[in-house]
Amino acid sequence: MKYFIKTFGCSQNNADSERIASSFKARGYRKARSYKSADVIVINTCMIRKAAENRVYGLINNLSKLKEQKPSLKIIVTGCMVGMAYRDSTGKYLLRLKKIMPAVDEFMPIDEVGFNHQPVRMDKKTALVPISNGCNNFCTYCVVPFTRGREISRPFQEIIDECQKLKKQGYSEVLLLGQNVNSYGADLVTKGHSIPEMEPVYVKHLGRLRLPTLFPHLLEAVAKFGFKKVDFISSNPWDFSDELIKVIAKYPNITRTLHLPVQSGDNIILKRMNRWYTTAQYLKLVKKIKKAVPKVQFTTDIIVGFCGETDQQYHNTEKLCQQVNFQKAYIAMYSQRPFTAATKVLKDDVPFPVKKRRWMKLDTLVNKYVH
Ligand code: SAH
Ligand code: SF4
Ligand code: F3S
């Protein structure tokens, strides 16, 4: 029997697919070269934007034709769409998915795969290492807290053991993955996994005590294994601690290209997005990192055309980009997502042609060296 996995979305989905592959391998399946030669097809879905969701529907539609020719073919859908469906207590979302994709045999929550499978790694050089899953931040535009649920950190030692093994196996690079790696370990404190000398600190934007800095410890421990490169995504500006900057500065094998998603260069929009920093704080952080880590470069994520974004507010984003001089920006046009606060209480009122124009203008401005 042969399996084929198609992965949409971010690196976290790629990492999940590597574990799905191993669960098939454990059951004696072999990897198929294409959809056509597969007995089971797994679609690992993303729904960060409407366009990502539509790509999944399009593929399933094509696969349903394949299934007509080969009725024994099994189609399994997993990933963020299914995560959202299983977290929707009304059950409506799952019904909707079943209705849109009648050819699907099974909707499998990714949580069923777990971390106890040795991943079948897709890359020989860079190993993906998930350090947490889910997100507690609830940026108003974002569906991830609903698809992946609340943030759960992987045990410290489990990550270290995986990295040690990777080093022995000859991997030269590791990419640590989480929706917000900086908050790694905040939930481990209550489970007795904290580092003894660390005291919980008051975190203003949360209004409570938490351990904000397990990530620097983890990063340092991983860097010490001597990989050629240790990278991490994503890192949010509001809890990029001084301790983290110190660790990056100390270990030259830690990436010098930091991904620091800003989303907007306008304070009103940032607030509306529920991002807990101002542009001045973002710029101050960039300056502090540049001072401590010579030759550092920044990449970022930006959303244009968020609810109520005026020309002036968009222009502020251009301005911020010029000030930081990003090496690359992943720019997206705002897309309304189910269950999010923006969908519930704000209006998606920037017309599509305006979003498109802003997207093109910013892309030309920021990604000038890339094209
Ligand atoms: N956890 C990461 C981002 C994960 S989602 C962070 O906080 O930075 C990846 C990117 O998709 C986001 O940074 C954002 O720029 C974009 N994105 C998320 N929701 C979106 C939406 N509804 N419309 C358009 N872009 C969106
Ligand atoms: Fe979490 Fe915000 Fe990132 Fe979405 S954009 S994953 S809510 S931090
Ligand atoms: Fe998409 Fe889920 Fe990643 S919605 S961007 S695959 S966390």
Side-chain angles (χ1 to χ4, degrees):
M1 295 283 274
K2 289 185 184 168
Y3 70 90
F4 187 85
I5 305 174
K6 168 70 185 171
T7 311
F8 290 95
C10 63
S11 302
Q12 292 224 318
N13 261 17
N14 284 326
D16 290 340
S17 287
E18 293 183 340
R19 286 181 166 79
I20 297 169
S22 73
S23 73
F24 276 101
K25 226 174 118 186
R27 282 180 279 153
Y29 281 72
R30 281 180 304 130
K31 191 175 160 192
R33 280 176 187 273
S34 66
Y35 293 114
K36 274 200 174 141
S37 56
D39 300 290
V40 182
I41 297 174
V42 182
I43 316 293
N44 195 357
T45 60
C46 171
M47 56 176 306
I48 199 78
R49 285 181 286 275
K50 183 79 188 142
E53 207 179 328
N54 288 344
R55 274 196 285 275
V56 173
Y57 299 144
L59 174 62
I60 302 278
N61 190 34
N62 287 340
L63 291 178
S64 65
K65 287 165 203 151
L66 194 65
K67 201 170 167 163
E68 276 165 24
Q69 294 158 19
K70 187 179 175 182
S72 64
L73 174 67
K74 196 172 173 198
I75 302 176
I76 301 177
V77 169
T78 186
C80 281
M81 276 184 182
V82 184
M84 153 130 18
Y86 276 85
R87 282 182 181 86
D88 166 28
S89 55
T90 68
K92 277 187 199 155
Y93 200 79
L94 186 60
L95 280 178
R96 189 177 156 249
L97 290 185
K98 285 181 175 168
K99 209 168 150 193
I100 304 175
M101 299 181 280
V104 172
D105 296 281
E106 193 188 331
F107 291 92
M108 178 188 76
I110 195 73
D111 317 54
E112 281 179 12
V113 178
F115 281 113
N116 45 358
H117 292 286
Q118 282 304 315
V120 176
R121 302 199 184 267
M122 293 173 205
D123 196 296
K124 295 270 169 291
K125 201 174 85 182
T126 306
L128 306 177
V129 180
I131 66 166
S132 62
N133 186 32
C135 185
N136 297 343
N137 291 318
F138 291 94
C139 302
T140 54
Y141 51 80
C142 183
V143 79
V144 174
F146 304 94
T147 66
R148 286 186 177 266
R150 293 306 89 81
E151 182 178 77
I152 298 174
S153 301
R154 255 180 102 184
F156 199 95
Q157 197 54 44
E158 197 178 301
I159 301 167
I160 295 301
D161 290 347
E162 184 170 342
C163 290
Q164 192 166 29
K165 207 162 169 190
L166 288 168
K167 185 71 183 114
K168 276 196 197 131
Q169 287 169 340
Y171 283 89
S172 58
E173 296 184 8
V174 288
L175 175 57
L176 304 176
L177 297 171
Q179 289 305 336
N180 182 17
V181 291
N182 300 349
S183 63
Y184 168 76
D187 54 324
L188 295 179
V189 194
T190 49
K191 295 179 191 153
H193 286 285
S194 64
I195 292 172
E197 72 269 23
M198 286 181 67
E199 289 291 326
V201 293
Y202 182 75
V203 185
K204 206 172 119 216
H205 67 257
L206 294 179
R208 62 174 168 83
L209 288 171
R210 81 155 198 206
L211 257 187
T213 51
L214 264 189
F215 184 58
H217 289 262
L218 181 73
L219 187 62
E220 179 161 31
V222 176
K224 276 184 180 164
F225 283 121
F227 292 104
K228 228 175 178 173
K229 192 167 133 197
V230 179
D231 204 345
F232 52 90
I233 48 171
S234 274
S235 201
N236 277 319
W238 58 78
D239 50 11
F240 205 110
S241 64
D242 289 350
E243 212 178 349
L244 180 56
I245 300 175
K246 263 191 223 147
V247 170
I248 298 170
K250 189 170 162 193
Y251 294 90
N253 61 341
I254 296 176
T255 184
R256 262 41 188 163
T257 305
L258 297 178
H259 187 63
L260 197 60
V262 67
Q263 311 298 355
S264 167
D266 183 85
N267 289 335
I268 292 172
I269 296 291
L270 285 173
K271 205 157 191 188
R272 204 175 284 157
M273 287 175 160
N274 196 29
R275 302 285 292 188
W276 299 307
Y277 51 89
T278 60
T279 51
Q281 284 165 336
Y282 184 91
L283 290 169
K284 200 172 148 201
L285 176 65
V286 164
K287 207 169 150 193
K288 193 154 69 170
I289 301 173
K290 278 184 178 168
K291 199 172 157 208
V293 188
K295 289 195 187 145
V296 72
Q297 284 188 306
F298 292 93
T299 59
T300 200
D301 288 353
I302 292 170
I303 297 175
V304 293
F306 186 57
C307 308
E309 187 187 66
T310 62
D311 277 341
Q312 183 54 49
Q313 286 167 335
Y314 160 73
H315 186 72
N316 288 340
T317 300
E318 279 191 1
K319 213 170 93 189
L320 181 126
C321 289
Q322 277 161 331
Q323 281 169 290
V324 180
N325 192 19
F326 291 112
Q327 192 199 19
K328 185 172 171 61
Y330 299 88
I331 308 165
M333 289 182 274
Y334 172 62
S335 157
Q336 227 177 15
R337 300 289 61 212
F339 297 103
T340 61
T343 296
K344 283 185 187 153
V345 301
L346 300 171
K347 264 203 190 117
D348 181 15
D349 54 2
V350 178
F352 184 78
V354 178
K355 284 182 185 169
K356 183 100 198 181
R357 203 167 54 233
R358 288 179 190 167
W359 185 91
M360 281 169 61
K361 194 150 173 258
L362 200 62
D363 186 52
T364 314
L365 186 87
V366 183
N367 295 324
K368 53 189 181 294
Y369 305 113
V370 182
H371 292 306

